[in-house]
Amino acid sequence: MDSFTFRQRGRAIKEKTRARLTDRHSWKLPKQTSSIAPPHVWTNADQDPVPEDKRTWSSWVFIGYWYSDLVTVSTWTAASAIMTTGLTATDAILIVLVAAICNAIPTVLNGAIGADLHIPFPIACRASYGYWFSYFCVVTRGILALFWFGVQSANGGTCVTAMITAIWPSFARLPNTLPASAGTTSQGLLSYFIYWCVQFPLLLIPSHRLQYLFWVKTVLVTPMALAMVIWITAVAGGQGDFFYAPASVSGSTRAWLWLSNLTSVTGGYSTLAVNMPDFSRFSKTRGAQLWQLPFIPLFKTLVGIFGIVSASASKQVYGVVYWSPLEIIARWQDSPGGRAAAFFAAGIWLLAQISVNISANGISFANDVTTLAPRWFNIRRGVVLVSFVGGWALCPWIIVSSAAAFLNFMSAYAIFMAPIAGILACDYWVVKRRRYDVPALYDPEGIYRYMWGVNWRALVPMLVVIVPLLPALAKKVTPQSVHISQGLVNLFTFNWLYGFFVAVFLYYILNYFFPDETTLIPHVVPGDAPVVRAVDADVENGLVRDEKKREMRKEPETGSVKELGDTSAA
């Protein structure tokens, strides 16, 4: 690069920075002409159906994706944390397996929307909820993604602490200058900041290239996780009374604890049942995402078993139960060899946390905010926003400060995500029989507008499911000040099962007796081919009426259209 070009680029950067700091309109993205949305709808390319050259996800990539999502500190900890409630190791393993099946089935059903039509979740849910009511689902998922992003980041900060301590043991004795109310220490906050700096550039990897990150994690994490379990089991001599300990509860108390823990573990991954179209849209073939069905239960159960076995063995070796692999790693800092092992093991767990944060939370939030404010955000800007808001503003280190808080946090997911996942799956597979008019999903005046942009058939099940659960949710947050009946408490203990199946049943019944005939089209209308509008097709013989054979998209005339599809302030 010659000096003239260098000076030009420096001048351009300076001018752009000045504009960003002095003029908020400089942040506005240039309006792109969508290949599918009407000219008067503000959009950008990240919302459109994925073009063929970016459909890079094969069956192996989906397997790698779930390996990335499930072989994490959170999955390892969730299974063993169940035993703190008084249940047995067998109970914990069975709960994890059943929860994984509950996650896998709606994930595969909803993933088919992305694999078939190559559209993300915020666009897909317009078919069932209506063009404007779908924003409720988008906002709900976006808020939850922020919290979960922070939870995974907090665990990543612990990895950094182990790595730095392995190099400089004095870091373990770093003085704390923060008050107890901060929920963390000076050491923890510094480690978290370093983790955040490492994670940030990896968040910018485009979705269709994430498979390379998944492969790296798979190659590194597998032998490390196996080695940790084998090592601590061998040191314990194959013993571990904790693993064989009987339940400390019985009768109906045990049954309700079983359901409560099932809801907690299922709820922690229930967002992925609606997230999947964001990734399956990059599928090479329609059937590639089906491989998730066996591998989600397999990975989740195996990692849960690893957590339980290592927790039991740690009791035998150290006299203390360590629920997290990072707690075990912290005990390796007494010798040079132990510190070397701690550094590499913690580094690999660090990669695991970053991978799951990108695949499960960062990309999902970015899709949501891109849909809510396409004038200001695309996927790249969305992941930057979540890294600051979810990573710092929410103070995630407080959320993961105890096992009880962790389980309660996961329970809250299911209240909103279960009915959304159920309605989405029922609409695509049962009500509309996999026949969507993709161009109409991008049109606020299209067939998926329903009445005032709201499909009341989806609104009713959402209210029926969510409203009875709100008192119990309030009691979870402030147990001393909220008093409710035992029946509502019991209902909350299986809120995921209740929410999913009740929503599916009610949505199907309402559509059976009060169908919206306009949206029940005879053939799918894809978004990546010359468009034949479903509303203009002859239902009887499949022919297209009169002059509306093919709707050709026209370029917008300057200043002649109203910009829709943006819920942000002008």
Side-chain angles (χ1 to χ4, degrees), residues 163-413:
M163 294 176 68
I164 297 178
T165 304
I167 302 174
W168 298 289
S170 61
F171 185 72
R173 300 182 297 275
L174 185 72
N176 179 37
T177 60
L178 298 177
S181 60
T184 186
T185 63
S186 299
Q187 177 203 76
L189 194 60
L190 177 59
S191 297
Y192 181 81
F193 174 72
I194 295 172
Y195 168 85
W196 185 90
C197 292
V198 173
Q199 175 181 252
F200 184 79
L202 296 177
L203 283 167
L204 304 178
I205 299 175
S207 300
H208 63 284
R209 295 177 181 171
L210 282 175
Q211 61 265 38
Y212 304 113
L213 180 64
F214 298 158
W215 296 138
V216 172
K217 174 180 175 177
T218 302
V219 169
L220 295 178
V221 173
T222 305
M224 182 273 300
L226 283 171
M228 283 193 66
V229 174
I230 292 172
W231 173 82
I232 196 166
T233 304
V235 173
Q239 302 296 316
D241 297 336
F242 177 74
F243 188 83
Y244 302 102
S248 60
V249 293
S250 60
S252 61
T253 302
R254 183 176 183 179
W256 287 115
L257 276 175
W258 218 96
L259 287 173
S260 178
N261 282 287
L262 174 64
T263 296
S264 297
V265 179
T266 305
Y269 289 88
S270 61
T271 53
L272 298 174
V274 298
N275 287 0
M276 189 43 57
D278 294 335
F279 297 95
S280 60
R281 63 193 293 224
F282 296 97
S283 177
K284 287 183 178 180
T285 61
R286 296 181 66 181
Q289 57 95 31
L290 293 175
W291 284 95
Q292 300 171 108
L293 190 59
F295 279 96
I296 292 175
L298 176 64
F299 290 152
K300 193 165 187 174
T301 305
L302 283 178
V303 176
I305 292 174
F306 284 1
I308 294 170
V309 170
S310 64
S312 179
S314 68
K315 173 70 172 177
Q316 191 74 17
V317 175
Y318 301 114
V320 179
V321 178
Y322 289 130
W323 310 108
S324 168
L326 300 176
E327 293 176 320
I328 297 174
I329 290 173
R331 296 297 299 263
W332 297 352
Q333 305 282 0
D334 298 332
S335 65
R339 290 200 300 272
F343 178 84
F344 288 110
I348 295 172
W349 280 119
L350 175 70
L351 175 63
Q353 294 306 116
I354 292 175
S355 298
V356 72
N357 238 3
I358 294 172
S359 60
N361 305 308
I363 298 298
S364 301
F365 177 84
N367 274 287
D368 293 336
V369 76
T370 297
T371 300
L372 293 171
R375 191 181 313 190
W376 305 98
F377 288 96
N378 53 21
I379 298 297
R380 189 180 184 88
R381 288 186 177 184
V383 295
V384 172
L385 181 65
V386 73
S387 68
F388 282 95
V389 179
W392 290 103
L394 298 182
C395 302
W397 44 86
I398 297 177
I399 298 175
V400 296
S401 60
S402 69
F406 182 67
L407 291 175
N408 289 340
F409 175 72
M410 290 196 295
S411 296
Y413 270 77

Side-chain angles (χ1 to χ4, degrees), residues 455-515:
N455 182 7
W456 65 269
R457 301 162 192 81
L459 175 61
V460 170
M462 290 293 292
L463 293 175
V464 169
V465 168
I466 294 175
V467 171
L469 296 174
L470 292 179
L473 177 61
K475 186 174 178 61
K476 283 277 187 178
V477 177
T478 55
Q480 303 301 323
S481 58
V482 177
H483 304 283
I484 60 175
S485 67
Q486 188 61 38
L488 290 176
V489 173
N490 293 339
L491 180 64
F492 191 82
T493 61
F494 61 98
N495 61 67
W496 192 93
L497 295 174
Y498 161 77
F500 183 84
F501 288 106
V502 170
V504 168
F505 175 76
L506 286 179
Y507 187 75
Y508 173 74
I509 292 297
L510 291 174
N511 278 277
Y512 181 83
F513 288 104
F514 308 100

